Amino acid sequence: MSFGLEGLNVNQMTSAASALSTDASKYVNDASLEMQWAMKAYHHAETYFNLLCSVDSSLLKLTNKDDEIYKNFRQAFPNMAIDVLKEDELKTTDAKSTWRPFVQSYEGEVEDYNFGTLVRKDCTGDISDDNTVLVLRIQFLAIEIARNREGLNAAVKEKVKKQKEESSS
C-alpha cells in the first residue's frame, strides 16, 4: 500500500512524522477547507437536482451498481419511507448502527462511498437549508436510486415544468 510518501525528502518525512504524533485534540478545523467541502457538496446537490428537472428520473443511472444498491437497500430497509426522510432514521446512534453494515459493504465497491453528500429530505422540494441533510454518498445513492425507481422523483420535473408554464403565460 502506498501513502504517497515516496516523493518526500528526509526533512519532509520528519515533519510529517512529527505532525502525526501530535495530540489530535490540538488540531482545529480549517474554515477554508470546510467552506470548500460545503461548496462542493452544494454543487453536487444542485447538479443532481438540475438533472432531475431535465430527464426522466426512472431512466437515470447513477452508478454501474444501481441494481445491487437498490436491492440491498430495500432488503436492509424495507419499510423506510424515502419520500420525506426522517433524520432520526439516518442520524441517531441506533440508525448509524443499522446503516453501518450497509455502508461498509460498499467500501472499495463505490467510489467515495463515505464522502459527505447532501440529500433532499422531501423529494418534491428544492435544495434549501431546510430541505437538505448531510449523509454519506452511499446513503445518498441508495435513497436517490430508490426514489427514481419508485417514481418519487418524477414530481420534481413536473413541478418545474408547471412553474415554467405558469411564468411564461
Side-chain angles (χ1 to χ4, degrees):
M1 178 181 292
S2 172
F3 294 101
L5 300 176
E6 50 280 334
L8 299 179
N9 64 36
V10 173
N11 290 336
Q12 291 169 322
M13 289 180 127
T14 304
S15 187
S18 174
L20 291 173
S21 63
T22 302
D23 181 5
S25 67
K26 294 186 179 174
Y27 285 103
V28 294
N29 290 336
D30 181 340
S32 65
L33 285 177
E34 287 181 3
M35 182 56 76
Q36 288 173 1
W37 171 86
M39 288 170 51
K40 183 176 179 177
Y42 180 81
H43 177 71
H44 174 268
E46 186 178 50
T47 301
Y48 180 68
F49 185 79
N50 289 337
L51 190 60
L52 290 177
C53 295
S54 306
V55 301
D56 179 353
S57 59
S58 68
L59 303 174
L60 199 55
K61 192 155 173 66
L62 302 182
T63 74
N64 61 353
K65 295 186 173 287
D66 282 12
D67 293 337
E68 175 189 330
I69 292 169
Y70 179 68
K71 178 182 164 227
N72 292 341
F73 170 67
R74 279 307 186 194
Q75 282 177 346
F77 304 95
N79 300 316
M80 183 176 174
I82 56 171
D83 55 343
V84 179
L85 300 175
K86 297 177 186 167
E87 283 192 60
D88 63 341
E89 292 182 328
L90 299 165
K91 299 285 188 176
T92 64
T93 302
D94 287 342
K96 288 178 183 179
S97 67
T98 304
W99 275 99
R100 191 169 292 112
F102 178 84
V103 169
Q104 291 303 84
S105 72
Y106 289 97
E107 183 177 12
E109 297 292 318
V110 172
E111 185 178 350
D112 300 333
Y113 77 103
N114 63 349
F115 274 29
T117 307
L118 297 173
V119 68
R120 291 167 300 127
K121 292 180 197 175
D122 180 343
C123 69
T124 63
D126 295 341
I127 300 167
S128 67
D129 288 345
D130 295 336
N131 194 41
T132 54
V133 63
L134 179 65
V135 297
L136 298 175
R137 182 165 189 262
I138 191 61
Q139 290 174 300
F140 166 85
L141 290 169
I143 291 164
E144 290 298 332
I145 290 167
R147 284 175 169 175
N148 291 339
R149 299 236 171 146
E150 296 172 19
L152 297 171
N153 275 333
V156 170
K157 186 176 178 187
E158 290 303 313
K159 181 179 172 182
V160 170
K161 180 181 173 185
K162 186 177 179 181
Q163 287 172 343
K164 285 182 182 178
E165 288 171 357
E166 289 173 357
S167 68
S168 66
S169 53

